[in-house]
């Protein structure tokens, strides 16, 4: 798929993975709408980085938990660019057990509303325009918490509600792939431990002691955390080079979900 002059809406774009995806699109000639709500201290850097791309872009501040504002977000994108081809559903909220401790209802509700409800409202509002594109692409971001739950070394970084919400994202991905077809491809990228998401550039990581960090890395077959570049490469593959893929989940976790188990040498047998 040729993506130059396409229009992409990237959620959670103010920094980290969302910003990295937005910049990668801009470098491919994609017109980018970048939504954010918090991390206001990062907005000047965001503006500077995108100004340097010399690609048409739009930075929008929208609280996606206020569902009545979602239509307005999509309307701003359409009014500015006249179309929408790509939706990067990169919005979540995951409380760390090591940060938040035992659940309070407010934290539980926040994780569910951000990780699940906001994704649904944005997709539902954007779908007519994605279908009109006739070659639309949606990527939902999720976490391996939906597989591991609060277990093993990840017990300190994945909360129960966050894990449950992320398992739900895969159901949304499959349902939306059916709804969007054949004009819209809907796929999911499931992330493990990344530098800006549960990794070394987050405040929760700083609260782990050396042994706890080591146990997370040792449980990862590739023995490192993921980078923004790892995510960007996967996104560009799904958008540009996977025209026959929809309803699928790409797991990028460095082998974390396979970790903790060894393969014994093949026995000699008796025959």
């Amino acid at each position: 798929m040729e993506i130059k002059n396409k229009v992409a809406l990237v959620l959670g774009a103010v920094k980290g993975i969302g910003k990295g995806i937005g910049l990668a699109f801009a470098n491919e000639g994609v017109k980018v709408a970048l939504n954010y709500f918090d991390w206001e201290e990062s907005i000047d850097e965001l503006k500077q980085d995108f100004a340097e791309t010399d690609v048409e872009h739009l930075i929008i501040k929208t609280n996606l938990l206020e569902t009545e504002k979602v239509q307005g977000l999509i309307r701003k994108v359409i009014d500015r660019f006249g179309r929408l081809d790509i939706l990067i559903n990169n919005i979540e909220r995951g409380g760390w057990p090591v940060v938040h401790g035992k659940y309070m209802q407010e934290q539980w509700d926040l994780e569910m509303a951000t990780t699940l409800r906001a994704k649904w409202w944005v997709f539902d509002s954007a779908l007519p325009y994605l279908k009109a594109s006739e070659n639309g692409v949606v990527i939902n971001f999720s976490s391996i918490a939906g597989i591991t739950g609060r277990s093993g070394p990840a017990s300190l970084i994945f909360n129960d509600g966050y894990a449950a919400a992320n398992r739900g994202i895969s159901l949304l991905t499959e349902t939306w792939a059916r709804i969007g077809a054949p004009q819209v491809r809907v796929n999911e990228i499931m992330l493990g431990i990344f530098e800006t998401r549960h990794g070394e550039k987050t405040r929760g990581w700083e609260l782990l002691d050396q042994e706890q960090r080591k146990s997370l890395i040792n449980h990862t077959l590739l023995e490192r955390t993921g980078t923004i570049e790892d995510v960007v490469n996967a996104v560009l593959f799904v958008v540009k080079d996977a025209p026959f893929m929809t309803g699928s989940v790409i797991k990028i976790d460095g082998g974390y979900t396979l970790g903790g188990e060894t393969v014994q040498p093949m026995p000699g047998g008796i025959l």
Side-chain angles (χ1 to χ4, degrees):
M1 173 178 167
E2 173 58 52
I3 62 174
K4 186 176 182 180
N5 293 322
K6 299 287 188 180
V7 175
L9 170 59
V10 182
L11 307 183
V14 73
K15 65 175 188 172
I17 288 170
K19 177 182 173 182
I21 294 168
L23 285 170
F25 280 153
N27 290 333
E28 295 273 345
V30 176
K31 300 172 185 178
V32 188
L34 308 148
N35 190 71
Y36 79 102
F37 179 66
D38 44 16
W39 306 106
E40 196 75 42
E41 66 275 12
S42 300
I43 194 65
D44 288 341
E45 184 178 347
L46 177 75
K47 291 177 179 179
Q48 178 63 34
D49 288 344
F50 276 88
E52 292 173 1
T53 68
D54 201 31
V55 172
E56 189 177 1
H57 61 279
L58 176 65
I59 298 173
I60 313 167
K61 182 176 182 178
T62 314
N63 182 359
L64 297 176
L65 297 184
E66 298 177 7
T67 55
E68 70 277 7
K69 293 185 178 179
V70 173
Q71 285 280 2
L73 165 64
I74 303 302
R75 187 73 257 163
K76 288 175 184 176
V77 176
I78 300 303
D79 287 348
R80 175 65 176 270
F81 301 112
R83 61 187 295 158
L84 178 60
D85 305 285
I86 303 165
L87 170 61
I88 302 299
N89 227 338
N90 173 51
I91 179 173
E92 65 156 31
R93 183 74 69 176
W96 292 48
V98 71
V99 174
H100 295 95
K102 188 176 180 179
Y103 262 122
M104 303 292 287
Q105 181 178 336
E106 181 181 4
Q107 180 64 29
W108 175 281
D109 292 346
L110 180 63
E111 291 177 18
M112 291 293 181
T114 310
T115 307
L116 278 178
R117 189 183 72 197
K119 279 187 176 72
W120 187 93
W121 246 267
V122 174
F123 171 80
D124 186 65
S125 299
L127 182 59
Y129 303 101
L130 292 165
K131 282 201 167 190
S133 164
E134 296 187 348
N135 198 7
V137 183
V138 177
I139 297 179
N140 290 328
F141 273 91
S142 67
S143 165
I144 60 168
I147 295 176
T148 67
R150 186 164 58 87
S151 68
S155 297
L156 297 173
I157 66 174
F158 296 150
N159 261 337
D160 300 37
Y162 177 70
N166 276 280
R167 183 166 292 195
I169 291 170
S170 294
L171 177 61
L172 294 181
T173 297
E174 293 176 358
T175 301
W176 296 352
R178 295 184 179 103
I179 294 172
Q183 301 97 333
V184 182
R185 292 181 286 124
V186 183
N187 292 289
E188 180 179 338
I189 295 179
M190 180 181 287
L191 301 180
I193 302 169
F194 276 72
E195 55 185 1
T196 59
R197 189 169 294 188
H198 298 108
E200 57 269 32
K201 294 183 180 180
T202 62
R203 65 171 178 169
W205 190 263
E206 297 174 356
L207 298 175
L208 302 175
D209 62 35
Q210 186 173 353
E211 283 303 311
Q212 291 166 336
R213 296 174 188 173
K214 184 178 178 182
S215 68
L216 288 163
I217 298 300
N218 288 345
H219 202 282
T220 305
L221 296 184
L222 298 185
E223 298 183 348
R224 67 173 176 88
T225 59
T227 66
I228 292 173
E229 183 180 7
D230 292 324
V231 183
V232 166
N233 289 338
V235 168
L236 292 178
F237 165 72
V238 172
V239 173
K240 296 174 61 178
D241 300 318
F244 196 56
M245 186 170 75
T246 194
S248 298
V249 179
I250 296 179
K251 184 173 59 176
I252 311 176
D253 71 341
Y256 182 91
T257 50
L258 298 178
E261 300 290 343
T262 59
V263 179
Q264 297 299 316
M266 183 68 74
I270 61 171
L271 298 178

